[in-house]
Amino acid sequence: MDELEREKLQQERLVAALEDAGVRWGQVADCGPLSGGTFGAVFGVRTTGGERIVVKLAPSSDRPVLEYERGILGTEAWYLRTARERTDVPVATVLAVSAQDEERPGDHLVTGYCPGKPWNELQQEVGPEDRDHLRRELGGHVARMHALDGAEGFGYPALSLGPLRPSWRETFLAMVDSVLGDAARFDVTLPRPAKEIREVLTAESGSLDEVTVPRLVHWDLWDGNILAELAPQGAPDAGRPRITALIDAERALWGDPVAEFVSLGLFHDITRDEPFWEGYRAAGGSVTFDAAARNRMALYRAHLYLIMWVEAVPRKFDAGHLAWLERDIYGPLGEMIDAWAGGRGPMEHVWPRE
């Protein structure tokens, strides 16, 4: 499929997605791509009536995706609906979502628009006091999501890796096998042989048996997926910062809440983020970073690093992004595997290098 055919198909899919949400193309006043995501295409739409809408299109059927990504737009819709029905955590409203099938990773997701800027942009505009206020608010939202449990088992709700499982260790190792399989499928060079990575992570996986209750985990709450804004004039908290939405929940799953803190601490040491923990504890959240929890945290970081490195090939990241990944993801992942294999433990590599 050439680029002209691809653009035509994308336009047809965009029109169909809007119609699924009850919006005819003739009602569209403005439409353009939104930046930030790397899975599929995202569009911001404004209707002639002033309504703002976000449309996500999964990659077309001829575009490769990782195994766990099959159906993840359906996962995001599920997460958004669950959050709105069972918590007061701010998330977008689902307007339409297509049914997945065996051939496509999910066709489209249409949601309401969420105001605000990504955390990594807004934090440049606020002082230390307001930053701490936002981190407390974020901690409360995360704790409320972690309070939700899944009685049916652990795993991805889209069932991309098979049915939900009763064992978290079995589920996690299946997730590792999946991304290692993707590495082989896309001919990705790993920092250590796939067999060695699997053996090391399996040997260190005993701490996962401590996790017996599946909890709702967003699992991609890095700074860019947390929207916030300064409250507008006329609001009770005018001028104060507030979180407006947690977005891009395609990776959500029933799992270990400790896994959440990897992406939340992708660029800083989350254990030292006291305002966040104040909000988390005040909302009922509880976690102790003992040796077992830190070991689990390291396992989750290794898995995330594998995903970030392997997905670079099918998503065709540019040279600058690849250089960053090689320095901050590929290298540290290899060091973690070596530390475990050498019996030293991964403790010095659990947290990002600040």
Side-chain angles (χ1 to χ4, degrees):
M1 184 184 301
D2 62 28
E3 283 306 309
L4 186 60
E5 291 175 318
R6 194 179 302 280
E7 289 178 9
K8 180 181 178 182
L9 175 60
Q10 186 177 81
Q11 178 67 22
E12 292 172 352
R13 294 177 62 206
L14 176 59
V15 171
L18 287 168
E19 289 180 348
D20 195 18
V23 179
R24 299 187 308 276
W25 187 249
Q27 295 174 281
V28 173
D30 186 47
C31 177
L34 298 178
S35 61
T38 59
F39 178 79
V42 186
F43 297 89
V45 175
R46 181 174 55 84
T47 70
T48 52
E51 183 181 10
R52 300 184 72 179
I53 296 171
V54 174
V55 179
K56 290 188 173 185
L57 301 178
S60 56
S61 57
D62 65 327
R63 294 283 197 183
V65 297
L66 303 190
E67 184 181 14
Y68 89 94
E69 291 178 320
R70 290 184 287 111
I72 64 173
L73 290 188
T75 293
E76 182 168 13
W78 163 84
Y79 180 95
L80 297 176
R81 286 168 171 159
T82 300
R84 293 187 70 86
E85 291 170 3
R86 300 177 61 183
T87 76
D88 61 356
V89 174
V91 295
T93 302
V94 176
L95 303 178
V97 61
S98 66
Q100 68 182 84
D101 58 42
E102 294 180 355
E103 299 301 323
R104 292 180 179 273
D107 191 30
H108 61 251
L109 171 64
V110 186
T111 70
Y113 172 82
C114 295
K117 295 181 179 180
W119 171 272
N120 49 326
E121 296 179 16
L122 185 71
Q123 68 176 339
Q124 310 300 323
E125 304 174 14
V126 300
E129 182 179 345
D130 284 339
R131 178 206 176 274
D132 289 350
H133 169 75
L134 280 173
R135 297 304 289 182
R136 290 187 193 94
E137 186 180 359
L138 176 62
H141 291 324
V142 173
R144 283 184 280 277
M145 296 305 302
H146 288 175
L148 303 185
D149 62 80
E152 296 182 6
F154 295 97
Y156 293 113
L159 308 182
S160 53
L161 304 187
L164 299 180
R165 295 174 170 88
S167 162
W168 174 235
R169 179 168 15 176
E170 180 187 2
T171 300
F172 178 77
L173 292 177
M175 292 160 59
V176 171
D177 286 341
S178 174
V179 71
L180 291 177
D182 289 325
R185 184 158 53 100
F186 296 125
D187 196 24
V188 177
T189 299
L190 298 172
R192 302 296 180 269
K195 184 174 183 291
E196 180 182 351
I197 293 174
R198 178 56 159 84
E199 290 175 349
V200 166
L201 297 186
T202 300
E204 294 294 328
S205 66
S207 60
L208 302 181
D209 287 337
E210 294 190 1
V211 183
T212 58
V213 179
R215 299 288 179 179
L216 184 56
V217 180
H218 182 292
W219 218 4
D220 198 16
L221 282 177
W222 72 286
D223 292 352
N225 286 342
I226 302 163
L227 300 187
E229 68 175 2
L230 299 178
Q233 293 300 319
D237 54 349
R240 292 294 305 278
R242 61 186 181 188
I243 292 174
T244 55
L246 306 183
I247 64 172
D248 290 352
E250 300 104 330
R251 285 180 178 163
L253 81 166
W254 293 115
D256 178 5
V258 169
E260 197 84 272
F261 307 127
V262 173
S263 56
L264 276 165
L266 192 61
F267 300 115
H268 72 288
D269 184 348
I270 189 69
T271 65
R272 300 178 183 176
D273 192 346
E274 191 52 39
F276 173 86
W277 294 114
E278 289 174 5
Y280 191 79
R281 290 189 293 267
S286 176
V287 63
T288 300
F289 285 106
D290 57 13
R294 285 174 176 262
N295 191 66
R296 301 202 314 268
M297 184 89 161
L299 288 169
Y300 306 146
R301 185 172 291 279
H303 176 262
L304 177 61
Y305 282 4
L306 278 171
I307 287 178
M308 293 173 70
W309 180 248
V310 172
E311 72 182 7
V313 172
R315 297 191 183 187
K316 299 180 180 179
F317 290 153
D318 61 32
H321 196 147
L322 289 174
W324 173 76
L325 287 172
E326 186 169 2
R327 182 187 70 242
D328 289 355
I329 302 301
Y330 182 92
L333 175 59
E335 293 171 8
M336 289 177 69
I337 298 301
D338 288 347
W340 266 315
R344 302 190 303 277
M347 303 307 294
E348 66 270 34
H349 301 297
V350 172
W351 315 115
R353 300 166 182 177
E354 300 185 83

